[in-house]
Amino acid sequence: MRAFLIITQLLLFFNAQAQQNNITSVTASYDPACIAELYNHIPIGLEFKYANGQVRKTEGYLDGAYRWKSIKVTSSAGSVQNGYLQLDRQRAAKLHYQVELTVTLPDSPQPLTTTLTLPHLESIRFNHYADSLKRGIRFYLNVEGSFSSGKIYPLDTAAIKFTASEGKLLGQDLLLPPNDATRIITVTAINKNDPSMSVSSTIPVKQLQDK
């Protein structure tokens, strides 16, 4: 009888210990130095909280001890390998940049889920380097984007589609032939991931020749 009680107490003790070692939550973050606003190869980190108050972090940018090789992570917008998210930006845009991660690891009986919130483009604007366009000389269409992170970055044709009322578009340059009589050109920049976001600008064509 006494042996039975001892075994029962030991089982209760180990069960309590196991429950204290259970992971209660996981949170995800990204390395703010990686410019996740523009680039799709993003270092991420996971932080695990246990019932006993312990906190463990993944190796990599969080400088934790939890090894990525012990973790399997799937993403709703891209793929995750060795602590890097290869982002599917068009898919992320449809999810409003709320990327769900499903995490499977050896010390949790069930997969865990968490949401990684990534910075996204909120508005775009033209910031021309010159106040007029010269015929026969390429005019660079400089577009800047304001992001939810509060940062502003220049955007290129990977993110922006351009249209122009006159002239020829050469990548992000606008060229008007020397003999063209156009006096004003309207250019429009459109966010490729969200065509409802666009901005237009009117550029005058220089009429007098430089001396």
Side-chain angles (χ1 to χ4, degrees):
M1 183 66 178
R2 185 177 178 181
F4 175 77
L5 290 174
I6 292 174
I7 292 173
T8 301
Q9 290 176 346
L10 287 172
L11 289 173
L12 290 173
F13 172 79
F14 287 121
N15 184 55
Q17 289 294 105
Q19 288 182 355
Q20 288 186 356
N21 289 330
N22 285 343
I23 296 176
T24 58
S25 66
V26 56
T27 56
S29 59
Y30 67 91
D31 186 350
C34 73
I35 314 182
E37 292 85 355
L38 300 178
Y39 302 131
N40 296 332
H41 193 59
I42 303 170
I44 64 171
L46 299 175
E47 183 175 300
F48 304 103
K49 293 185 179 179
Y50 292 77
N52 62 3
Q54 180 186 12
V55 175
R56 297 183 67 187
K57 299 179 181 180
T58 50
E59 61 182 339
Y61 106 89
L62 287 182
D63 291 326
Y66 212 118
R67 304 293 297 274
W68 279 105
K69 68 179 182 180
S70 303
I71 306 171
K72 178 183 177 182
V73 183
T74 58
S75 165
S76 60
S79 60
V80 177
Q81 188 173 11
N82 295 326
Y84 285 85
L85 168 64
Q86 187 64 39
L87 183 66
D88 181 337
R89 195 163 288 273
Q90 289 188 340
R91 177 62 180 161
K94 293 179 181 178
L95 298 172
H96 306 289
Y97 289 89
Q98 301 292 309
V99 179
E100 184 177 272
L101 302 178
T102 301
V103 183
T104 304
L105 59 167
D107 48 359
S108 179
Q110 300 293 333
L112 304 168
T113 59
T114 185
T115 300
L116 177 65
T117 301
L118 293 172
H120 60 275
L121 189 61
E122 292 187 323
S123 64
I124 55 178
R125 68 189 185 194
F126 281 102
N127 187 9
H128 299 308
Y129 294 143
D131 56 7
S132 63
L133 180 150
K134 296 179 182 179
R135 297 179 181 86
I137 298 177
R138 290 190 178 195
F139 185 92
Y140 182 73
L141 299 175
N142 185 46
V143 176
E144 296 174 338
S146 296
F147 292 83
S148 58
S149 59
K151 297 179 180 179
I152 297 174
Y153 290 107
L155 304 175
D156 59 19
T157 53
I160 298 296
K161 176 183 177 181
F162 292 97
T163 63
S165 60
E166 301 291 342
K168 184 177 182 180
L169 287 167
L170 303 170
Q172 206 159 334
D173 293 336
L174 176 61
L175 181 63
L176 196 63
N179 59 348
D180 195 293
T182 300
R183 300 179 70 89
I184 293 177
I185 299 176
T186 299
V187 292
T188 300
I190 304 166
N191 179 3
K192 286 183 176 181
N193 292 317
D194 180 8
S196 67
M197 183 186 297
S198 65
V199 63
S200 295
S201 177
T202 299
I203 306 172
V205 178
K206 189 170 184 178
Q207 300 302 305
L208 300 176
Q209 297 293 328
D210 291 331
K211 294 181 181 181

